[in-house]
Amino acid sequence: QAWERNFLAEYAGMPDITFKTLVKAYLAKASLRVKASTLVNVTTIIGTHLLPFFGDMQIKDITAITVSAWHDSLIKKELSISYMQTLHAKLTTLFAFAMKYYNLPKNPAKIAGNIQGTKNKRMDFWTLDEFRKFAMCLKKPLHIMAVYTLFWSGMRIGELLALTWDD
């Protein structure tokens, strides 16, 4: 409660803050409430896809048109639709935070709506021969074990990294 009082005293009622300042305040609050790995993920998403576009803008000046222009910039990067929707969800969360703590009257990301797309990238899978050629190049037993586990189980890299010897 003391932290929140200090936070409100420092930031509340300042509608002329930049997006970068909003992010700093959001991450400070989030660091107290989420796991370290989640915080790293959120920080990476924001730093890679949100700050380069919105960073120096005043939050009060960001409109649905601005968000739509950001959507267009993401589409040009040819990211997957689901990932772009994840990015949009994070932007919506940041503006909801601004509404709660900075008296931002409306959420421009919500007004713009979620990013829409029609084309998904086609996944390209290795054939058994392609896999064998790759596997023959591996030297370290741990790498070999990891690649074989990924290929034959279909699990994702994050799932593999979460495995322990007991698994």
Side-chain angles (χ1 to χ4, degrees), residues 107-120:
N107 187 329
K110 222 174 209 181
I111 295 168
N114 207 343
I115 192 164
Q116 300 296 317
T118 56
K119 63 177 186 177
N120 278 321

Side-chain angles (χ1 to χ4, degrees), residues 18 27 44 53 70 72 76-77 79 89 91 102-103 106 115 120-122 150 157-158 161 165:
T18 63
L27 292 175
T44 301
F53 191 90
W70 174 67
D72 294 344
K76 288 177 186 172
K77 292 180 183 179
L79 302 171
L91 182 64
Y102 297 99
N103 301 320
K106 54 191 170 205
I115 192 164
N120 278 321
K121 290 182 182 177
R122 186 179 183 283
L150 288 169
I157 292 172
L161 293 173
W165 286 110

Side-chain angles (χ1 to χ4, degrees), residues 96-159:
F97 180 82
M99 290 174 68
K100 182 174 182 178
Y101 292 104
Y102 297 99
N103 301 320
L104 188 68
K106 54 191 170 205
N107 187 329
K110 222 174 209 181
I111 295 168
N114 207 343
I115 192 164
Q116 300 296 317
T118 56
K119 63 177 186 177
N120 278 321
K121 290 182 182 177
R122 186 179 183 283
M123 283 196 167
D124 188 21
F125 294 94
W126 280 349
T127 65
L128 187 55
D129 288 337
E130 291 169 331
F131 170 73
R132 286 183 177 146
K133 285 179 189 175
F134 176 78
M136 296 301 290
C137 298
L138 299 172
K139 303 289 184 229
K140 295 183 179 180
L142 197 58
H143 294 168
I144 294 168
M145 191 176 1
V147 167
Y148 271 81
T149 303
L150 288 169
F151 183 78
W152 291 109
S153 70
M155 71 174 58
R156 294 176 259 180
I157 292 172
E159 295 168 326

